[in-house]
Coordinates of all heavy atoms in Angstrom, one line a residue:
R875 N 37.0 21.6 -57.0 CA 38.2 20.9 -57.0 C 39.3 21.3 -56.0 O 40.2 20.6 -55.7 CB 38.8 20.9 -58.4 CG 38.1 20.1 -59.5 CD 38.7 20.3 -60.8 NE 38.5 21.7 -61.3 CZ 39.1 22.1 -62.4 NH1 39.9 21.3 -63.1 NH2 38.9 23.4 -62.9
F876 N 39.1 22.6 -55.5 CA 40.2 23.1 -54.7 C 39.7 23.4 -53.2 O 40.3 24.3 -52.6 CB 40.6 24.4 -55.3 CG 40.9 24.3 -56.8 CD1 40.0 24.7 -57.7 CD2 42.1 23.7 -57.2 CE1 40.2 24.6 -59.1 CE2 42.3 23.6 -58.6 CZ 41.4 24.0 -59.5
T877 N 38.7 22.7 -52.8 CA 38.2 23.0 -51.4 C 39.2 22.8 -50.3 O 39.2 23.6 -49.4 CB 36.9 22.1 -51.1 OG1 37.3 20.7 -51.4 CG2 35.8 22.4 -52.0
E878 N 40.0 21.8 -50.4 CA 41.1 21.6 -49.4 C 42.0 22.7 -49.3 O 42.4 23.2 -48.3 CB 41.8 20.3 -49.7 CG 40.9 19.0 -49.5 CD 40.6 18.7 -48.1 OE1 41.3 19.2 -47.2 OE2 39.6 18.0 -47.9
E879 N 42.5 23.2 -50.5 CA 43.5 24.3 -50.5 C 42.8 25.6 -50.1 O 43.5 26.4 -49.4 CB 44.0 24.5 -51.9 CG 44.9 23.4 -52.4 CD 44.2 22.2 -53.0 OE1 42.9 22.1 -53.0 OE2 44.9 21.2 -53.5
I880 N 41.6 25.8 -50.4 CA 40.8 27.0 -50.0 C 40.6 27.0 -48.5 O 40.8 28.0 -47.9 CB 39.5 27.1 -50.8 CG1 39.8 27.4 -52.3 CG2 38.7 28.2 -50.2 CD1 38.6 27.3 -53.2
Y881 N 40.3 25.8 -48.0 CA 40.1 25.7 -46.5 C 41.4 26.1 -45.8 O 41.4 26.8 -44.8 CB 39.6 24.3 -46.2 CG 39.5 24.1 -44.7 CD1 38.3 24.4 -44.0 CD2 40.6 23.5 -44.0 CE1 38.2 24.2 -42.6 CE2 40.5 23.3 -42.6 CZ 39.3 23.6 -41.9 OH 39.2 23.4 -40.6
D882 N 42.5 25.5 -46.3 CA 43.8 25.7 -45.6 C 44.2 27.2 -45.7 O 44.8 27.8 -44.8 CB 44.9 24.9 -46.2 CG 44.7 23.4 -45.9 OD1 44.0 23.1 -44.9 OD2 45.2 22.5 -46.7
L883 N 43.9 27.8 -46.9 CA 44.2 29.2 -47.1 C 43.4 30.1 -46.0 O 44.0 31.0 -45.4 CB 43.7 29.7 -48.5 CG 43.7 31.2 -48.7 CD1 45.1 31.8 -48.7 CD2 43.0 31.5 -50.1
F884 N 42.2 29.7 -45.8 CA 41.3 30.5 -44.9 C 41.9 30.5 -43.4 O 41.8 31.5 -42.7 CB 39.9 29.9 -44.8 CG 38.9 30.7 -44.1 CD1 38.3 31.8 -44.7 CD2 38.6 30.4 -42.7 CE1 37.3 32.5 -44.0 CE2 37.7 31.2 -42.0 CZ 37.1 32.2 -42.6
Q885 N 42.6 29.4 -43.1 CA 43.1 29.3 -41.7 C 44.3 30.2 -41.5 O 44.6 30.5 -40.3 CB 43.5 27.8 -41.4 CG 42.5 26.8 -41.7 CD 41.2 27.0 -41.0 OE1 41.2 27.3 -39.8 NE2 40.1 26.9 -41.7
V886 N 44.9 30.7 -42.5 CA 46.1 31.5 -42.4 C 46.0 32.9 -42.9 O 46.8 33.8 -42.6 CB 47.4 30.8 -43.0 CG1 47.6 29.5 -42.4 CG2 47.2 30.6 -44.5
T887 N 45.0 33.2 -43.7 CA 44.9 34.5 -44.4 C 44.6 35.6 -43.4 O 43.9 35.4 -42.4 CB 43.9 34.5 -45.5 OG1 43.9 35.8 -46.2 CG2 42.5 34.3 -45.0
K888 N 45.1 36.8 -43.6 CA 44.8 38.0 -42.9 C 43.9 38.9 -43.7 O 43.5 40.0 -43.2 CB 46.1 38.7 -42.5 CG 47.1 37.8 -41.6 CD 46.5 37.4 -40.3 CE 47.5 36.5 -39.5 NZ 46.9 36.0 -38.3
S889 N 43.7 38.6 -44.9 CA 42.9 39.4 -45.8 C 41.4 39.3 -45.6 O 40.9 38.2 -45.7 CB 43.2 39.1 -47.3 OG 42.3 39.7 -48.2
S890 N 40.8 40.4 -45.3 CA 39.3 40.4 -45.1 C 38.6 40.0 -46.4 O 37.6 39.4 -46.4 CB 38.8 41.7 -44.6 OG 39.3 41.9 -43.3
T891 N 39.1 40.5 -47.5 CA 38.5 40.2 -48.8 C 38.6 38.7 -49.1 O 37.6 38.1 -49.6 CB 39.3 40.9 -50.0 OG1 39.2 42.3 -49.7 CG2 38.7 40.6 -51.3
I892 N 39.7 38.0 -48.8 CA 39.8 36.6 -49.0 C 38.8 35.9 -48.1 O 38.1 34.9 -48.5 CB 41.2 36.1 -48.8 CG1 42.2 36.7 -49.8 CG2 41.3 34.6 -48.9 CD1 41.9 36.5 -51.2
K893 N 38.8 36.3 -46.8 CA 37.8 35.7 -45.9 C 36.4 35.7 -46.4 O 35.7 34.7 -46.3 CB 37.9 36.3 -44.5 CG 39.2 36.1 -43.7 CD 39.1 36.8 -42.4 CE 40.4 36.6 -41.6 NZ 40.4 37.4 -40.3
E894 N 36.0 36.9 -46.8 CA 34.7 37.1 -47.3 C 34.4 36.2 -48.5 O 33.3 35.5 -48.5 CB 34.5 38.6 -47.8 CG 33.1 38.8 -48.4 CD 33.0 40.2 -49.0 OE1 34.0 41.0 -49.0 OE2 32.0 40.5 -49.6
K895 N 35.3 36.1 -49.4 CA 35.0 35.2 -50.6 C 35.1 33.8 -50.3 O 34.3 33.0 -50.9 CB 36.0 35.6 -51.7 CG 35.7 37.0 -52.2 CD 36.4 37.4 -53.5 CE 36.0 38.8 -54.0 NZ 36.6 39.1 -55.3
V896 N 36.0 33.4 -49.4 CA 36.0 31.9 -49.0 C 34.7 31.6 -48.3 O 34.1 30.5 -48.6 CB 37.2 31.6 -48.1 CG1 37.1 30.2 -47.6 CG2 38.5 31.8 -48.9
L897 N 34.2 32.4 -47.5 CA 32.9 32.2 -46.8 C 31.8 32.0 -47.9 O 30.9 31.1 -47.8 CB 32.6 33.3 -45.9 CG 33.3 33.3 -44.5 CD1 33.2 34.7 -43.8 CD2 32.6 32.2 -43.6
K898 N 31.8 32.9 -48.9 CA 30.8 32.8 -50.0 C 31.0 31.5 -50.7 O 30.0 30.8 -51.2 CB 30.9 34.0 -50.9 CG 30.4 35.3 -50.3 CD 30.6 36.4 -51.3 CE 30.0 37.7 -50.7 NZ 30.1 38.9 -51.6
Y899 N 32.2 31.0 -50.9 CA 32.5 29.8 -51.6 C 31.9 28.6 -50.9 O 31.2 27.8 -51.5 CB 34.0 29.6 -51.8 CG 34.5 28.4 -52.4 CD1 34.6 28.3 -53.8 CD2 34.8 27.2 -51.7 CE1 35.0 27.1 -54.5 CE2 35.2 26.1 -52.3 CZ 35.3 26.0 -53.7 OH 35.7 24.9 -54.3
F900 N 32.1 28.5 -49.6 CA 31.6 27.4 -48.8 C 30.1 27.6 -48.5 O 29.4 26.6 -48.2 CB 32.4 27.2 -47.5 CG 33.7 26.6 -47.8 CD1 34.9 27.3 -47.5 CD2 33.8 25.3 -48.2 CE1 36.2 26.7 -47.8 CE2 35.1 24.7 -48.5 CZ 36.2 25.4 -48.3
T901 N 29.6 28.8 -48.6 CA 28.2 29.1 -48.5 C 27.4 28.4 -49.7 O 26.4 27.7 -49.5 CB 27.8 30.6 -48.4 OG1 28.4 31.1 -47.2 CG2 26.3 30.8 -48.5
K902 N 28.0 28.7 -50.9 CA 27.4 28.1 -52.1 C 27.4 26.6 -52.0 O 26.5 25.9 -52.5 CB 28.1 28.6 -53.3 CG 27.4 28.2 -54.6 CD 28.1 28.8 -55.8 CE 27.4 28.4 -57.1 NZ 27.9 29.1 -58.3
A903 N 28.5 26.0 -51.5 CA 28.7 24.6 -51.4 C 27.9 24.0 -50.2 O 27.8 22.8 -50.1 CB 30.2 24.2 -51.2
E904 N 27.4 24.9 -49.3 CA 26.7 24.4 -48.1 C 27.5 23.4 -47.3 O 27.1 22.4 -46.9 CB 25.3 23.8 -48.5 CG 24.4 24.8 -49.1 CD 23.0 24.3 -49.4 OE1 22.7 23.1 -49.0 OE2 22.1 25.0 -49.9
D905 N 28.8 23.8 -47.2 CA 29.8 22.9 -46.5 C 30.0 23.5 -45.1 O 30.4 24.6 -45.0 CB 31.1 22.9 -47.3 CG 32.1 21.9 -46.8 OD1 32.1 21.6 -45.6 OD2 32.8 21.3 -47.6
P906 N 29.8 22.7 -44.1 CA 29.9 23.2 -42.7 C 31.3 23.3 -42.1 O 31.4 23.4 -40.9 CB 29.0 22.2 -41.9 CG 29.2 20.9 -42.6 CD 29.2 21.3 -44.1
C907 N 32.3 23.2 -43.0 CA 33.6 23.1 -42.5 C 34.1 24.4 -41.8 O 35.1 24.4 -41.0 CB 34.6 22.8 -43.6 SG 34.7 24.1 -44.9
L908 N 33.4 25.5 -41.9 CA 33.8 26.8 -41.3 C 32.9 27.2 -40.1 O 32.9 28.3 -39.7 CB 33.9 27.9 -42.3 CG 34.8 27.8 -43.5 CD1 34.8 29.0 -44.4 CD2 36.3 27.5 -43.0
E909 N 32.1 26.2 -39.7 CA 31.2 26.5 -38.6 C 31.9 27.0 -37.3 O 31.4 27.9 -36.7 CB 30.3 25.3 -38.2 CG 29.2 25.0 -39.2 CD 28.4 23.8 -38.7 OE1 29.0 22.8 -38.2 OE2 27.1 23.8 -38.8
D910 N 33.0 26.4 -37.0 CA 33.7 26.9 -35.8 C 34.1 28.3 -35.9 O 34.0 29.1 -35.0 CB 34.9 26.0 -35.5 CG 35.9 25.9 -36.7 OD1 35.4 25.9 -37.9 OD2 37.1 25.9 -36.5
Y911 N 34.6 28.7 -37.1 CA 35.0 30.1 -37.3 C 33.8 31.0 -37.2 O 33.8 32.1 -36.5 CB 35.7 30.3 -38.6 CG 35.8 31.7 -39.0 CD1 36.9 32.5 -38.6 CD2 34.9 32.4 -39.8 CE1 37.0 33.9 -38.9 CE2 35.0 33.7 -40.1 CZ 36.0 34.4 -39.7 OH 36.1 35.8 -40.0
A912 N 32.7 30.6 -37.9 CA 31.5 31.4 -38.0 C 30.9 31.7 -36.6 O 30.5 32.8 -36.3 CB 30.5 30.8 -38.9
V913 N 30.7 30.6 -35.8 CA 30.1 30.8 -34.5 C 31.0 31.7 -33.6 O 30.5 32.6 -32.9 CB 29.8 29.4 -33.8 CG1 29.3 29.6 -32.4 CG2 28.8 28.7 -34.7
D914 N 32.3 31.4 -33.6 CA 33.3 32.2 -32.8 C 33.2 33.6 -33.2 O 33.2 34.5 -32.3 CB 34.7 31.6 -33.0 CG 35.7 32.2 -32.0 OD1 35.3 32.3 -30.8 OD2 36.8 32.5 -32.4
L915 N 33.1 33.9 -34.5 CA 33.1 35.3 -34.9 C 31.8 36.0 -34.4 O 31.8 37.2 -34.0 CB 33.2 35.4 -36.4 CG 33.1 36.8 -37.0 CD1 34.3 37.7 -36.6 CD2 32.9 36.8 -38.5
L916 N 30.7 35.3 -34.5 CA 29.4 36.0 -34.1 C 29.3 36.2 -32.6 O 28.6 37.0 -32.1 CB 28.2 35.1 -34.6 CG 28.0 35.1 -36.1 CD1 26.7 34.4 -36.5 CD2 28.1 36.5 -36.8
N917 N 30.1 35.4 -31.9 CA 30.2 35.7 -30.4 C 30.8 37.1 -30.2 O 30.5 37.7 -29.2 CB 31.0 34.6 -29.7 CG 30.2 33.4 -29.3 OD1 29.0 33.5 -29.0 ND2 30.8 32.2 -29.4
D918 N 31.7 37.5 -31.1 CA 32.4 38.8 -30.9 C 32.8 39.3 -32.3 O 34.0 39.2 -32.7 CB 33.6 38.6 -30.0 CG 34.3 39.9 -29.7 OD1 33.7 41.0 -30.0 OD2 35.4 39.9 -29.2
P919 N 31.9 39.9 -33.0 CA 32.2 40.3 -34.4 C 32.8 41.7 -34.6 O 33.1 42.2 -35.7 CB 30.8 40.3 -35.1 CG 29.9 40.7 -34.0 CD 30.5 40.2 -32.7
Y920 N 33.0 42.4 -33.5 CA 33.2 43.9 -33.5 C 34.5 44.3 -34.2 O 34.6 45.5 -34.6 CB 33.0 44.5 -32.2 CG 31.6 44.2 -31.6 CD1 31.5 43.2 -30.6 CD2 30.5 44.8 -32.1 CE1 30.2 42.8 -30.1 CE2 29.2 44.5 -31.6 CZ 29.1 43.5 -30.6 OH 27.9 43.2 -30.1
D921 N 35.5 43.4 -34.2 CA 36.8 43.8 -34.8 C 36.9 43.4 -36.2 O 38.0 43.6 -36.8 CB 37.9 43.2 -34.0 CG 38.0 43.8 -32.6 OD1 37.6 45.0 -32.4 OD2 38.5 43.1 -31.6

Side-chain angles (χ1 to χ4, degrees):
R875 290 176 291 172
F876 312 100
T877 54
E878 293 289 337
E879 290 84 358
I880 293 171
Y881 176 86
D882 290 337
L883 167 69
F884 189 84
Q885 307 307 313
V886 298
T887 186
K888 302 299 181 184
S889 166
S890 293
T891 300
I892 298 301
K893 288 180 184 178
E894 178 191 356
K895 293 194 175 181
V896 172
L897 281 162
K898 288 180 178 179
Y899 179 87
F900 285 115
T901 295
K902 186 173 183 179
E904 296 183 4
D905 191 324
C907 63
L908 299 181
E909 281 185 320
D910 56 321
Y911 167 84
V913 174
D914 190 44
L915 178 67
L916 293 188
N917 274 327
D918 183 13
Y920 303 101
D921 292 332

